[in-house]
Amino acid sequence: MRLAAFGDVHGNYAALEAVLEDISRAEVDACVVLGDVVNTGPDSKLCWERVDGLNCPVVRGNHERYVAQYGDPAFPEFLEERFKPVAWSVRQLGDELRASLFELPMIYTPSDAQDVVFVHSSCRRDNDNISLLTPEADLLQMFASCSDSAGKATTLPKLIIRAHNHLSMERRVAGTTVVTVGSAGLPLGGVRKAQYIIVSDRKQGWQIEHRAVAYDVEANLRRFETTGYLEYAGPAARLLMREFATATHQLGPFLREFDKWTVGGKVSLEQAVTDFLNAY
């Protein structure tokens, strides 16, 4: 068995096409998509339609959940100006598609490979972060109780394939290998290449090949303007555009600073983003 696994496309159609073209030359048996196909970039609907046309397993990421929860009174923060990029994705996808994205499974286990589990983040939720320094005790909590799409319980499969954190890495815990595939559409770490993995079942066990594919970064950046996304989503979209342009964190660090700046006084989002982009 030889599988390609990718996730975190984040509405970057140019990167998605580059990954799929590379996969087409890699002679894989199937693909698995690890969620966060939508949101952040300008082309959520195009990316989802392309992935949906692959007819392959897709697990739900936290960004599929975000677009599904938009407008729910229980999550009023999404209506703030800083989250206008979510509103753009919602506008593209429509209510029916958003609801279907929320119904995607959180875990996928191939019927003929019960020792491997595919998730977006972890087996307990869709937004657990893992780094090279995450304690083993935390990893055990994240993956101690996995279940496949049919609900069959498993305990620490030999291989867990995940996305969510946009940097490629591998960790070992209690005899299990946890592989983070990097990001197909929004790579970080300063390397502007679309990332994914190929996993092969060999006699000596599962083998992992991390791949990084050059794509037309400028084509994706142009879509911010030609689609109307930059104008619609405003200051937050400017930060996201820089994330795609530089392959570095921008929105997250900004929001942490913005929360500090707004304590004790009002600072507009527009001014705060301008100051942040100039300062960093």
Side-chain angles (χ1 to χ4, degrees), residues 12-255:
N12 184 345
Y13 191 74
L16 174 60
E17 282 298 314
V19 166
L20 293 177
E21 182 178 351
D22 196 65
I23 289 173
S24 72
R25 296 192 294 265
E27 298 182 350
V28 302
D29 299 304
C31 292
V32 179
V33 182
L34 302 174
D36 280 8
V37 176
V38 303
N39 205 31
T40 307
D43 286 310
S44 287
K45 189 173 183 181
L46 275 178
C47 288
W48 174 253
E49 289 174 344
R50 185 72 170 94
V51 165
D52 191 43
L54 299 175
N55 296 314
C56 68
V58 182
V59 299
R60 194 190 80 203
N62 54 306
H63 280 261
E64 279 79 32
R65 175 168 58 84
Y66 294 162
V67 297
Q69 290 175 338
Y70 187 86
D72 188 325
F75 306 98
E77 64 273 15
F78 285 138
L79 301 180
E80 297 175 13
E81 185 184 9
R82 67 177 82 181
F83 293 116
K84 283 294 288 290
V86 183
W88 173 262
S89 300
V90 166
R91 188 179 177 189
Q92 283 192 334
L93 296 167
D95 292 345
E96 184 176 348
L97 179 51
R98 287 166 55 210
S100 68
L101 293 180
F102 191 72
E103 297 303 319
L104 291 170
M106 289 186 61
I107 298 169
Y108 169 69
T109 300
S111 59
D112 51 355
Q114 293 294 310
D115 59 344
V116 58
V117 166
F118 295 86
V119 297
H120 175 68
S121 170
S122 78
C123 293
R124 67 180 180 181
R125 54 177 173 248
D126 61 18
N127 60 352
D128 272 324
N129 290 310
I130 294 176
S131 75
L132 293 174
L133 301 178
T134 301
E136 286 195 6
D138 292 351
L139 293 176
L140 286 171
Q141 290 181 3
M142 292 179 194
F143 300 109
S145 180
C146 295
S147 62
D148 63 16
S149 57
K152 181 180 179 181
T154 64
T155 301
L156 287 179
K158 290 182 180 180
L159 180 64
I160 296 170
I161 308 294
R162 66 182 295 277
H164 189 60
N165 300 110
H166 296 201
L167 296 167
S168 302
M169 72 183 84
E170 296 184 20
R171 292 289 308 271
R172 293 279 295 174
V173 55
T176 293
T177 301
V178 180
V179 179
T180 303
V181 303
S183 173
L186 187 50
L188 297 175
V191 179
R192 303 197 313 173
K193 289 187 176 182
Q195 302 159 4
Y196 77 101
I197 69 164
I198 292 177
V199 54
S200 303
D201 188 9
R202 304 298 187 196
K203 289 182 179 180
Q204 61 270 41
W206 291 104
Q207 292 185 345
I208 306 298
E209 178 187 352
H210 292 269
R211 298 174 75 106
V213 183
Y215 77 95
D216 192 342
V217 176
E218 297 305 318
N220 179 53
L221 298 180
R222 288 193 297 272
R223 292 290 290 171
F224 273 76
E225 298 200 28
T226 59
T227 60
Y229 176 38
L230 193 61
E231 180 180 4
Y232 178 87
R238 290 166 56 199
L239 290 168
L240 293 173
M241 190 173 181
R242 184 190 265 188
E243 281 203 6
F244 285 102
T246 63
T248 60
H249 284 288
Q250 299 292 321
L251 183 60
F254 166 79
L255 290 177

